[in-house]
Amino acid sequence: MKWTNELESDPNAKPWDVFESLFRHIKNHRTFYEVLHKTGKDSILRTSLREKIGMTGKLSSEEAYDKVFFADGISGWIEEWIERGMQETPVELSTALYHYFNEVLSNLGKIFTYG
């Protein structure tokens, strides 16, 4: 994807910058991504994200489940963002995602009990 080339060419980019960069790319190419979404072709983005994070058939089950949860979760955020008219800026969406990872996911152990 073009956005990864842009991000990877920035020597000052940090790992977390990938999300803001991705959201900015999608917003800058809004019409294209809206058409993908409206025609049910969101799987193109999902597949691309899976490939970018190294989703292959050679992974252990645990690695594969972790990667698919991550890639499809990001894809879901993007699909919902498009569906809601991309009201948030890329910075706002990236900040919300950062909060989600740090606050919500860190507390999952309190929500689920195994027994």
Side-chain angles (χ1 to χ4, degrees), residues 1-4 8-9 23 30-31 59 73 86 95 100 115:
M1 292 178 80
K2 182 180 177 182
W3 70 268
T4 58
E8 290 169 355
S9 67
F23 301 147
R30 180 181 190 139
T31 302
L59 298 173
M86 295 185 188
T95 300
Y100 181 77

Side-chain angles (χ1 to χ4, degrees), residues 19-37:
F19 300 112
E20 185 181 332
S21 172
L22 174 59
F23 301 147
R24 189 175 329 104
H25 171 82
I26 290 170
K27 192 137 191 181
N28 288 343
H29 299 89
R30 180 181 190 139
T31 302
F32 173 77
Y33 287 100
E34 286 176 335
V35 169
L36 276 183
H37 181 69

Side-chain angles (χ1 to χ4, degrees), residues 1 3-5 8 47-55:
M1 292 178 80
W3 70 268
T4 58
N5 295 337
E8 290 169 355
T47 299
S48 180
L49 288 171
R50 285 180 177 195
E51 289 172 359
K52 186 63 186 164
I53 65 166
M55 186 73 189

Side-chain angles (χ1 to χ4, degrees), residues 2-111:
K2 182 180 177 182
W3 70 268
T4 58
N5 295 337
E6 294 168 0
L7 181 68
E8 290 169 355
S9 67
D10 181 356
N12 298 317
K14 297 171 191 70
W16 190 255
D17 292 340
V18 69
F19 300 112
E20 185 181 332
S21 172
L22 174 59
F23 301 147
R24 189 175 329 104
H25 171 82
I26 290 170
K27 192 137 191 181
N28 288 343
H29 299 89
R30 180 181 190 139
T31 302
F32 173 77
Y33 287 100
E34 286 176 335
V35 169
L36 276 183
H37 181 69
K38 289 177 184 174
T39 58
K41 305 268 192 241
D42 296 304
S43 63
I44 293 170
L45 176 61
R46 194 172 320 113
T47 299
S48 180
L49 288 171
R50 285 180 177 195
E51 289 172 359
K52 186 63 186 164
I53 65 166
M55 186 73 189
T56 69
K58 297 179 181 181
L59 298 173
S60 70
S61 291
E62 184 177 349
E63 290 173 310
Y65 296 145
D66 289 349
K67 286 183 182 282
V68 79
F69 178 83
F70 182 78
D72 289 8
I74 298 298
S75 177
W77 273 63
I78 292 168
E79 290 171 28
E80 191 62 28
W81 185 46
I82 293 168
E83 185 68 28
R84 293 172 176 266
M86 295 185 188
Q87 297 174 37
E88 297 85 0
T89 67
V91 170
E92 290 170 334
L93 195 62
S94 182
T95 300
L97 184 62
Y98 181 80
H99 171 77
Y100 181 77
F101 282 135
N102 284 302
E103 299 296 324
V104 177
L105 291 180
S106 66
N107 290 311
L108 278 182
K110 296 174 187 172
I111 297 170

